[in-house]
Amino acid sequence: MNETISTILKRGSLRKYAEKDISKEDLEVILRSSMRAPTAGNMMSYSIIVIRKKETKEKLSISCDNQPFIKNAPVLLIFLADFSKWYKYYQYNDTKEFMAEKGEYFEGPSEGNFILATQDALIAAENAVIAAESLGVGSCYIGDIMENYEYHKKLLNLPKYVYPVTMLTLGYYPEGYHIPLKDRFKKNYVIFDEEYKELSKDDIKDMFKERDKLFVNANKYNAKNYAQYHYNMKVKSEFSKEMTRSVKLALDEWCGNKI
């Protein structure tokens, strides 16, 4: 097994960090690796904010669902879906006027552009994760940065057509610390040949049998099995509702309206 594959297969989410800063050289490699990620049309429709200030990390640890480990990471990277720069480019080069001359409307970015920019940002983030891991820098994805849109917009000075898609915590592994890797679903329930395979009831039962073992009878939802517990913990949770609200606010901007 080569070193790259070994790095990918051993990686887990790190939430405990050595008490030392990430070196300038290592951080530069991580960021350069991000910027070499595949990108739709070579547009690089994303931006990355590097967070080092203690007070900002503390605010983000609260706004991202009160997760204290976030503020203990030496560096946070926030990956943004970003069409703002392209639209400034269009504006400065009289694109709106050009479209009017053609008898057509000049429109803002659409929902499809939002998805493309989100893909760009996430691919860049994963490049950062793998590069970091190869340097002994652990990471954890924080999807909660999508919540509290108005607050994060102000905190991070985000203009129109910019949305925080994900955040990474970065820090060196503590000496002798190892992450127990979590099991993944079986390959035959995730990888399909040629077309999607609809799973049967027996398939679903087998697929989730290890997750079912996590169920605890005494739970705050009074759920009778792990499926019921998980649905209430994730789908019906307050953070999920807030994330949905924030995404909808972003999509109010990214809706292809005439400008």
Side-chain angles (χ1 to χ4, degrees):
M1 186 181 297
N2 67 44
E3 190 173 345
T4 301
I5 301 302
S6 178
T7 298
I8 292 171
L9 294 181
K10 74 178 183 181
R11 187 258 167 200
S13 295
L14 184 67
R15 296 177 174 86
K16 182 179 180 181
Y17 312 102
E19 294 184 4
K20 65 176 181 177
D21 292 333
I22 295 176
S23 72
K24 181 179 178 181
E25 294 77 14
D26 283 352
L27 185 56
E28 180 62 22
V29 169
I30 293 167
L31 294 172
R32 283 178 56 203
S33 297
S34 287
M35 293 180 66
R36 290 306 310 170
T39 166
N42 199 28
M43 290 178 66
M44 296 182 68
S45 51
Y46 64 90
S47 293
I48 306 168
I49 300 177
V50 182
I51 304 291
R52 300 184 185 87
K53 289 184 179 178
K54 181 180 178 181
E55 62 182 274
T56 307
K57 289 189 286 185
E58 288 178 345
K59 289 177 181 177
L60 288 167
S61 73
I62 295 170
S63 65
C64 293
D65 282 335
N66 296 299
Q67 300 183 80
F69 77 91
I70 292 173
K71 67 183 178 183
N72 297 325
V75 171
L76 305 177
L77 299 182
I78 300 176
F79 290 79
L80 311 161
D82 184 357
F83 255 62
S84 175
K85 291 175 284 190
W86 274 97
Y87 268 76
K88 284 183 170 63
Y89 176 64
Y90 298 152
Q91 175 189 344
Y92 299 152
N93 286 275
D94 303 321
T95 306
K96 182 176 182 179
E97 292 76 9
F98 174 67
M99 297 308 293
E101 290 170 6
K102 294 177 64 179
E104 298 180 30
Y105 294 113
F106 182 63
E107 300 172 350
S110 66
E111 296 89 344
N113 298 134
F114 181 81
I115 295 297
L116 278 177
T118 296
Q119 289 177 345
D120 268 13
L122 290 173
I123 296 167
E126 184 61 6
N127 260 31
V129 164
I130 301 305
E133 191 72 26
S134 74
L135 297 169
V137 177
S139 60
C140 184
Y141 273 102
I142 309 294
D144 307 291
I145 192 66
M146 291 192 290
E147 300 171 33
N148 300 308
Y149 179 54
E150 301 92 334
Y151 177 78
H152 291 143
K153 188 180 179 89
K154 183 176 180 180
L155 178 67
L156 302 170
N157 192 36
L158 304 182
K160 198 172 185 179
Y161 309 141
V162 177
Y163 184 70
V165 173
T166 195
M167 180 168 73
L168 293 178
T169 61
L170 294 179
Y172 293 109
Y173 282 78
E175 188 174 351
Y177 185 77
H178 299 284
I179 301 173
L181 297 183
K182 295 181 179 179
D183 290 335
R184 300 301 196 211
F185 290 126
K186 292 179 181 178
K187 178 182 175 183
N188 57 306
Y189 297 135
V190 179
I191 311 297
F192 307 134
D193 289 328
E194 306 300 339
E195 62 180 20
Y196 186 83
K197 176 188 174 183
E198 192 84 28
L199 300 184
S200 68
K201 184 176 180 179
D202 286 342
D203 289 334
I204 294 294
K205 185 176 180 179
D206 185 59
M207 177 179 175
F208 286 91
K209 67 180 181 182
E210 293 302 318
R211 303 295 173 95
D212 286 337
K213 293 176 183 178
L214 301 174
F215 178 65
V216 178
N217 285 313
N219 61 82
K220 62 181 180 180
Y221 306 115
N222 295 317
K224 299 177 179 64
N225 55 52
Y226 187 71
Q228 295 172 9
Y229 175 82
H230 191 273
Y231 176 79
N232 280 274
M233 177 180 66
K234 292 291 186 180
V235 181
K236 295 293 287 184
S237 67
E238 290 304 313
F239 82 80
S240 181
K241 293 175 184 177
E242 169 53 30
M243 191 175 292
T244 298
R245 186 196 70 86
S246 289
V247 170
K248 285 181 177 179
L249 278 179
L251 287 173
D252 285 342
E253 290 183 359
W254 301 62
C255 61
N257 280 348
K258 300 171 189 175
I259 298 177

